[in-house]
Amino acid sequence: MQTRMKKILILNGPNLNLLGRREPSVYGERGFEDFFLELRQMYAGRAELEYFQSNVEGVLIDKIQEAGFACDGIVLNAGAYTHTSIAIGDAIRAVTAPVVEVHISNVYAREAYRQHSFLAAACAGCIAGFGLDSYRLAVEALLQAGKE
């Protein structure tokens, strides 16, 4: 029996387009595009991965609404909007696709304002602190969803 490939969107928010250059001591020295190519190769035949990044809150909401009924899951690193956006949390609640909140750094070991998420209660789960590997762990979680 052949398993259907799952369609998963990886959605990055503000300043994540600067990965590899932005605060490498916190976020690492690797750009996301190279990492994403590796992820696509790693999951070839198991998942169809799409990537989108925006610095604009409304554009992220539009993408969640667009993909949230068409894909099997969303991996979301909303960046600083995690700690400020009720609207993104509402968008997550409005769609049918499960969303996994991802953070590259361990936000719970950082500044107090980064330790609260307006998105977590709307998400299927949260993965934080494993660098770019947090995204792979989220993809794995979405691929396993419904198999138990």
Side-chain angles (χ1 to χ4, degrees):
M1 179 174 135
Q2 189 171 5
T3 306
R4 179 183 73 83
M5 279 198 351
K6 288 194 175 184
K7 185 174 181 179
I8 297 173
L9 170 66
I10 297 176
L11 184 57
N12 273 345
N15 299 309
L16 292 166
N17 56 311
L18 298 177
L19 286 176
R21 296 180 287 168
R22 173 190 178 208
E23 297 178 81
S25 62
V26 175
Y27 300 105
E29 297 182 2
R30 191 162 187 206
F32 193 82
E33 289 75 15
D34 291 338
F35 176 73
F36 180 67
L37 291 175
E38 264 184 37
L39 269 183
R40 287 184 91 170
Q41 290 175 336
M42 186 182 305
Y43 291 103
R46 290 182 60 203
E48 180 185 337
L49 300 179
E50 178 185 340
Y51 172 58
F52 186 83
Q53 188 277 330
S54 178
N55 293 318
V56 180
E57 182 179 21
V59 173
L60 294 170
I61 291 167
D62 288 343
K63 195 65 174 179
I64 291 167
Q65 291 177 356
E66 172 193 316
F69 296 102
C71 69
D72 298 298
I74 298 172
V75 174
L76 173 63
N77 185 339
Y81 289 135
T82 301
H83 321 293
T84 64
S85 181
I86 294 168
I88 291 176
D90 288 346
I92 293 166
R93 285 180 184 89
V95 300
T96 56
V99 177
V100 176
E101 178 183 341
V102 164
H103 301 285
I104 295 167
S105 67
N106 180 357
V107 292
Y108 303 103
R110 297 184 62 195
E111 303 91 341
Y113 68 87
R114 292 187 195 273
Q115 296 174 19
H116 176 76
S117 170
F118 281 103
L119 314 181
C123 290
C126 178
I127 298 170
F130 294 96
L132 291 177
D133 205 35
S134 295
Y135 292 90
R136 182 191 60 77
L137 294 168
V139 169
E140 284 291 332
L142 289 169
L143 288 175
Q144 293 301 316
K147 287 188 175 182
E148 304 76 54

